[in-house]
Amino acid sequence: MITEWLIAGPFANEWEEDYIDFLGGEKEIEPVEGMSHLSEMAEGAQVTWKRYETEKNGIVDFQKTCDSAHRVCAYAFTKLNSNKDKRAILTLHTRGSSQIWLNHKLVHLERRPNRYPHLGDRLIYVKLKKGENSLLVKLPGSERWKFSLKVEEVKDRLYVDMGNKLIPDLRVGEGTEAWGYISVVNCTSSELRNVKLEVKENELFGADRREILKLEPGQVHKINFNVRTKRQVRSDDEPEVNLVIRVGREEHPVSLKPRVRSREEYFSTTYLSQVDNSVQPYSMLIPEEYDGSIPFPLVVGLHGANVDDRFQIRGYTMRTWCIMVAPYGRGSNRYREVGRIDVFDVIDVVKQRYNIDEDRIYLTGHSMGGYGSWQLGLFYPDRFVGIVPIEGPTYYDRFLYGRRGMLWASEELRLVQRDLMREIRPILFVQNALNLPTLVCHTTKDEDVNVFHARRMVVALRELGYDVDYIEIPGDLPGYKNHWWGTFGPRLGTDSVNMPPIFTFFRRHKRATNPKEVCYSTVSLRFNKAYWVEIDEMEKLYRIAKIHAQATGGNQVNVQCENISQFTLSLNDALVDLSASVTVDVDGVEAFSGVVPPSGQITLQSDEATRKFSPLEKPYQGLRKR
């Protein structure tokens, strides 16, 4: 660990643009103690380089030396002495964006909002020269504004990173077939070919073999491997997964020891993502009452920002009537894009491994997870029985408009940005909750997410006459003033996510599989379907498109549309009598009358001139898979 540094900061990083050179020459600088720089964040408008010596853990904590970690930036500088030219690995541990220069050359640049325990440390392969080596680290302010840096000489061609690995827990009384990974680095100046990993078979685990065809110079790669038990795990097992990683004649034996979890504890496991072939974690609570003979309800809990699935699952106490799962959601990306896919992938994997009641899948989440509950629930209302957003924001516009590129954009670009951001504002899609019971929970004095977010969603839902309950916790109660509130401890849970009314609410409801009335709105065909209604084409993308369909009886279906040029109804016997003639009116005008095709699907398309809808002659073959 590097323990002696010179540090300088804070500098005003108002727009959070990490590429601003606050030193007037980051690449060339060789600072000495007492050297000064202009900074509007410092007293006297100047900062000076000061000596900083860390504890043995090597952590440089800028929060202790600078007044603020909000929209600021700081530097650390040191010199590494080497007795010869040699190859080395720099191991950087931090949770924010970072840059590193070695001997005036940029060797590391990473921009990201947060880091998580599952991701491990960042490894940088470098070459040190004999004598002094200048090292400059730049770290923008963040919630955890600190870092540590370790230097380690490497002599082999391949470096195995024992700090960046993932292996699933084992649960007593169950077998396991999941995935793990371990990171390796090519510590040469040429390609490494045919890097092989072998899982050695032993009394508990089966064998597995993997191969990487090519590793580029300096490339860090996670090698996935299958973790498969040959029998049920016993409480007295002391399991070891023994690996051998080879490149040519070079061998690296590795022993990994999975945790053995009792049946009363939560456990973390993994699946292999089809998006990028990465190993992704999730955590579960399974009650003793579950034996697989009958389907169990599933409660999906989404974690907040800057934490992970294990933190979320620890907030719950075991319920005898349901299985609980906490997806990782790819970290702090607000359950959008690949994070959204992760949530549904986890649900699918859990359904494959356990007997889950399809009509009793519930969604809840805290903070960012509350936002995810709004987003996923309103875009996919037919996938869940009900949702419980807790302390959740209902828009993230500030994360985009708070940057210079957005704020200073041209008027035309701002209009485009405004259209794109409609997708991330749940308030615009509240009508989608017609058949989605909702409970909203918030404290009156939440210091991170204002209670306004919850109140306005509740008002909007009640104005529509929807099924919504609201629990607002008075902020003057002891322990109830913070964003994450209540008692916490092993087996106790946390009130903010674990309140009994949340689970009472869930147990009251079962999924509406064939509701007679459906409302759905969207701004994108990526989210275009709910229940028996599907939007196939929009007149204008990224404008609100709405459809309201109702099976009114007498084999009549009435539809109202806005900004939609084509849609499909998937009818069944629970909605109409398919053996008789069915009539569909769109905006008060008859658009279809006759016998529904055997598929049950009717696709209606509007005429550009008359705006009247009529059946599409060829069956629609558009976006069926969501």
Side-chain angles (χ1 to χ4, degrees), residues 21 24 29 90 93 299 416 588:
D21 183 350
I29 195 167
L90 302 181
H93 181 77
V299 174
V416 173

Side-chain angles (χ1 to χ4, degrees), residues 51 54 83 128 134 153 181 199 270 309 323 486 496 524 528 531 539 599 601 604:
R51 292 202 173 273
T54 75
N83 58 1
L128 299 179
S134 299
E153 182 181 1
Y181 72 72
V199 179
T270 61
D309 54 287
I323 291 173
S496 55
S524 168
N528 69 322
Y531 308 101
E539 294 174 353
S599 65
Q601 293 181 342
L604 299 174

Side-chain angles (χ1 to χ4, degrees), residues 395-407:
Y395 62 90
Y396 271 95
D397 305 42
R398 66 188 179 90
F399 288 94
L400 300 176
Y401 274 117
R403 296 183 183 275
R404 180 182 296 177
M406 303 291 282
L407 193 64

Side-chain angles (χ1 to χ4, degrees), residues 374 389 394 427 430 438-442 451-472:
W374 283 122
T394 56
I427 189 69
V430 289
T438 301
L439 167 64
V440 185
C441 303
H442 219 105
V451 70
F452 157 80
H453 288 268
R455 289 174 179 171
R456 72 170 188 165
M457 292 296 282
V458 171
V459 168
L461 290 166
R462 286 177 176 170
E463 286 179 345
L464 292 169
Y466 286 3
D467 182 4
V468 57
D469 295 337
Y470 183 42
I471 298 176
E472 187 171 299

Side-chain angles (χ1 to χ4, degrees), residues 169-173 233 259-268 314:
D169 295 344
L170 306 180
R171 187 170 185 250
V172 171
V233 177
R259 294 183 302 178
V260 176
R261 309 294 271 176
S262 73
R263 299 181 70 80
E264 295 81 23
E265 296 178 291
Y266 81 87
F267 66 98
S268 297
R314 287 171 54 222

Side-chain angles (χ1 to χ4, degrees), residues 184-203:
V184 297
V185 188
N186 177 359
C187 295
T188 73
S189 300
S190 58
E191 291 180 353
L192 285 181
R193 292 185 174 273
N194 303 315
V195 177
K196 298 178 181 179
L197 179 148
E198 180 183 358
V199 179
K200 294 285 189 177
E201 184 173 7
N202 58 26
E203 187 271 336

